[in-house]
Amino acid sequence: MRLNGRLCSVRRWTADDVDALVRHADNLNVARQLRDRFPHPYTRANAIAFLKHATAGDPPTTLAIEVDRQAVGGIGYVAGTDVERYTAEIGYWLSEQYWGRGIVTEALVLVTTFVFAERNLLRLFAVPFADNVGSTRVLEKAGYVFEGIMRSSSVKHGQPRDQAMYARVNPSWKGPSGG
Protein backbone atom coordinates (compact mmCIF):
# COMPACT_ATOMS: atom_id res chain seq x y z
CA MET A 1 0.00 0.00 0.00
CA ARG A 2 1.32 3.40 -0.98
CA LEU A 3 -0.60 6.67 -1.12
CA ASN A 4 1.23 9.35 -3.09
CA GLY A 5 0.76 13.06 -2.69
CA ARG A 6 2.64 16.11 -3.90
CA LEU A 7 4.50 16.69 -0.60
CA CYS A 8 4.70 13.18 0.83
CA SER A 9 3.77 9.55 0.50
CA VAL A 10 2.09 7.35 3.07
CA ARG A 11 3.18 3.73 3.14
CA ARG A 12 3.67 0.68 5.32
CA TRP A 13 6.48 0.82 7.85
CA THR A 14 9.40 -1.55 7.19
CA ALA A 15 12.20 -2.89 9.36
CA ASP A 16 14.55 -0.68 7.31
CA ASP A 17 12.94 2.42 8.86
CA VAL A 18 14.55 1.92 12.28
CA ASP A 19 17.31 4.55 11.93
CA ALA A 20 15.03 7.20 10.43
CA LEU A 21 12.43 6.49 13.09
CA VAL A 22 14.89 7.04 15.94
CA ARG A 23 16.30 10.17 14.27
CA HIS A 24 12.90 11.81 13.76
CA ALA A 25 10.93 10.51 16.77
CA ASP A 26 13.53 11.28 19.44
CA ASN A 27 12.34 14.84 20.06
CA LEU A 28 10.68 16.19 23.19
CA ASN A 29 8.71 18.75 21.15
CA VAL A 30 7.09 15.87 19.27
CA ALA A 31 6.58 13.60 22.29
CA ARG A 32 4.98 16.29 24.48
CA GLN A 33 2.00 16.50 22.11
CA LEU A 34 1.38 12.75 21.91
CA ARG A 35 0.07 9.98 24.12
CA ASP A 36 2.40 8.54 26.75
CA ARG A 37 2.91 5.38 24.68
CA PHE A 38 5.13 7.53 22.42
CA PRO A 39 8.28 7.54 24.56
CA HIS A 40 10.92 10.17 25.16
CA PRO A 41 13.74 9.64 24.75
CA TYR A 42 12.91 7.50 21.71
CA THR A 43 15.55 4.76 21.58
CA ARG A 44 16.53 2.16 19.03
CA ALA A 45 14.85 -0.46 21.23
CA ASN A 46 11.62 1.60 21.13
CA ALA A 47 11.86 1.79 17.33
CA ILE A 48 12.44 -1.95 16.94
CA ALA A 49 9.48 -2.79 19.21
CA PHE A 50 7.23 -0.30 17.41
CA LEU A 51 8.21 -1.57 13.97
CA LYS A 52 7.56 -5.17 15.02
CA HIS A 53 3.99 -4.17 15.88
CA ALA A 54 3.48 -1.77 12.95
CA THR A 55 4.65 -4.25 10.29
CA ALA A 56 2.47 -7.11 11.62
CA GLY A 57 -0.97 -5.68 10.79
CA ASP A 58 -2.79 -6.68 7.64
CA PRO A 59 -4.30 -4.49 6.51
CA PRO A 60 -1.92 -1.99 8.04
CA THR A 61 -3.42 0.68 10.28
CA THR A 62 -0.13 2.27 11.36
CA LEU A 63 1.69 3.92 8.46
CA ALA A 64 4.84 5.91 7.76
CA ILE A 65 4.86 9.42 6.34
CA GLU A 66 7.67 9.50 3.78
CA VAL A 67 9.47 12.58 2.46
CA ASP A 68 12.64 12.42 0.35
CA ARG A 69 12.59 8.60 0.50
CA GLN A 70 12.73 8.42 4.30
CA ALA A 71 10.16 7.94 7.04
CA VAL A 72 9.81 11.29 8.84
CA GLY A 73 6.59 10.71 10.74
CA GLY A 74 3.66 8.42 11.30
CA ILE A 75 -0.09 8.32 10.86
CA GLY A 76 -2.55 5.66 11.87
CA TYR A 77 -6.01 4.82 13.08
CA VAL A 78 -7.55 2.60 15.73
CA ALA A 79 -10.90 1.11 14.80
CA GLY A 80 -13.78 1.25 17.22
CA THR A 81 -15.75 -1.75 18.43
CA ASP A 82 -19.37 -2.66 19.11
CA VAL A 83 -21.70 0.25 18.23
CA GLU A 84 -18.62 2.29 17.27
CA ARG A 85 -17.35 -0.33 14.82
CA TYR A 86 -17.71 2.05 11.85
CA THR A 87 -15.59 4.74 13.50
CA ALA A 88 -11.90 5.07 14.20
CA GLU A 89 -9.58 7.44 16.02
CA ILE A 90 -6.84 8.85 13.81
CA GLY A 91 -3.53 10.27 14.97
CA TYR A 92 -0.26 11.44 13.52
CA TRP A 93 3.16 12.90 14.25
CA LEU A 94 5.88 14.50 12.16
CA SER A 95 9.55 15.25 12.66
CA GLU A 96 9.95 18.83 13.89
CA GLN A 97 12.23 19.74 11.00
CA TYR A 98 9.29 19.21 8.61
CA TRP A 99 6.66 21.21 10.51
CA GLY A 100 4.82 24.02 8.77
CA ARG A 101 5.05 22.65 5.22
CA GLY A 102 1.59 21.10 4.84
CA ILE A 103 2.97 17.57 4.93
CA VAL A 104 0.76 16.23 7.72
CA THR A 105 -2.32 17.87 6.25
CA GLU A 106 -1.66 16.11 2.95
CA ALA A 107 -0.97 12.78 4.71
CA LEU A 108 -4.18 13.14 6.72
CA VAL A 109 -6.24 13.82 3.58
CA LEU A 110 -4.64 10.85 1.80
CA VAL A 111 -5.35 8.45 4.66
CA THR A 112 -8.85 9.79 5.35
CA THR A 113 -9.82 9.41 1.69
CA PHE A 114 -8.36 5.90 1.57
CA VAL A 115 -9.98 4.72 4.81
CA PHE A 116 -13.39 6.07 3.86
CA ALA A 117 -13.24 4.42 0.43
CA GLU A 118 -11.52 1.12 1.26
CA ARG A 119 -12.49 0.37 4.89
CA ASN A 120 -16.11 1.59 4.78
CA LEU A 121 -15.78 3.70 7.91
CA LEU A 122 -18.51 6.19 8.71
CA ARG A 123 -16.49 8.55 10.91
CA LEU A 124 -12.89 9.38 11.75
CA PHE A 125 -12.07 11.47 14.79
CA ALA A 126 -9.02 12.95 16.49
CA VAL A 127 -8.48 14.24 20.02
CA PRO A 128 -5.41 16.50 20.03
CA PHE A 129 -4.53 18.50 23.12
CA ALA A 130 -6.68 21.61 22.88
CA ASP A 131 -3.68 23.94 23.11
CA ASN A 132 -1.86 22.20 20.23
CA VAL A 133 -2.60 24.88 17.66
CA GLY A 134 -0.54 23.22 14.94
CA SER A 135 -2.44 19.95 15.17
CA THR A 136 -5.87 21.55 15.37
CA ARG A 137 -5.01 23.63 12.31
CA VAL A 138 -3.95 20.48 10.42
CA LEU A 139 -7.31 18.88 11.19
CA GLU A 140 -9.26 21.94 10.07
CA LYS A 141 -7.31 22.19 6.80
CA ALA A 142 -7.99 18.48 6.18
CA GLY A 143 -11.75 19.00 6.48
CA TYR A 144 -12.25 17.82 10.06
CA VAL A 145 -14.88 19.70 12.05
CA PHE A 146 -14.40 20.94 15.61
CA GLU A 147 -17.01 19.32 17.85
CA GLY A 148 -15.99 20.55 21.29
CA ILE A 149 -13.55 20.59 24.18
CA MET A 150 -13.23 17.70 26.58
CA ARG A 151 -12.16 19.48 29.75
CA SER A 152 -9.37 17.86 31.81
CA SER A 153 -9.80 14.65 29.80
CA SER A 154 -6.14 13.66 29.94
CA VAL A 155 -2.99 14.01 32.04
CA LYS A 156 0.38 14.58 30.37
CA HIS A 157 3.58 15.04 32.39
CA GLY A 158 1.49 15.16 35.56
CA GLN A 159 -0.70 18.03 34.35
CA PRO A 160 -4.39 17.87 33.41
CA ARG A 161 -4.90 18.74 29.75
CA ASP A 162 -8.00 19.56 27.77
CA GLN A 163 -8.50 17.75 24.49
CA ALA A 164 -10.35 18.99 21.43
CA MET A 165 -12.67 16.69 19.50
CA TYR A 166 -12.47 16.89 15.72
CA ALA A 167 -14.26 14.56 13.32
CA ARG A 168 -14.98 13.96 9.70
CA VAL A 169 -17.99 11.96 8.51
CA ASN A 170 -17.84 9.89 5.33
CA PRO A 171 -20.42 11.34 2.91
CA SER A 172 -20.23 8.18 0.78
CA TRP A 173 -20.69 5.62 3.56
CA LYS A 174 -22.20 2.42 2.18
CA GLY A 175 -23.86 1.23 5.38
CA PRO A 176 -23.39 -1.95 7.42
CA SER A 177 -23.90 -4.35 4.53
CA GLY A 178 -21.39 -2.53 2.33
CA GLY A 179 -24.02 -1.73 -0.25
Side-chain angles (χ1 to χ4, degrees), residues 118-140:
E118 301 297 321
R119 304 287 180 254
N120 192 34
L121 290 183
L122 172 60
R123 181 176 190 268
L124 286 171
F125 69 94
V127 288
F129 294 123
D131 59 356
N132 185 345
V133 177
S135 190
T136 58
R137 185 71 185 119
V138 162
L139 288 158
E140 291 165 358

Side-chain angles (χ1 to χ4, degrees), residues 6 31 33 41 52 54 62 102 138 140-141 150 162 166-167 174 179:
R6 188 177 58 79
Q33 298 297 341
K52 183 178 179 184
T62 304
V138 162
E140 291 165 358
K141 289 182 350 186
M150 299 182 297
D162 294 347
Y166 280 84
K174 295 173 183 66

Side-chain angles (χ1 to χ4, degrees), residues 77-131:
Y77 60 97
V78 177
T81 60
D82 198 0
V83 297
E84 296 167 339
R85 66 190 168 274
Y86 292 101
T87 70
E89 180 179 358
I90 195 160
Y92 45 82
W93 68 271
L94 186 69
S95 175
E96 186 174 14
Q97 75 184 72
Y98 292 91
W99 290 359
R101 299 184 192 179
I103 293 167
V104 173
T105 301
E106 182 176 80
L108 183 56
V109 169
L110 288 168
V111 172
T112 299
T113 302
F114 175 81
V115 169
F116 280 170
E118 301 297 321
R119 304 287 180 254
N120 192 34
L121 290 183
L122 172 60
R123 181 176 190 268
L124 286 171
F125 69 94
V127 288
F129 294 123
D131 59 356

Side-chain angles (χ1 to χ4, degrees), residues 11-15 17 21 50-51 54-55 62-65 71 73-74 93:
R11 61 163 173 81
R12 292 183 79 121
W13 287 99
T14 71
D17 291 322
L21 180 55
F50 169 77
L51 290 171
T55 58
T62 304
L63 304 161
I65 299 172
W93 68 271

Side-chain angles (χ1 to χ4, degrees), residues 42-56:
Y42 201 104
T43 65
R44 187 172 185 79
N46 296 132
I48 291 168
F50 169 77
L51 290 171
K52 183 178 179 184
H53 163 76
T55 58

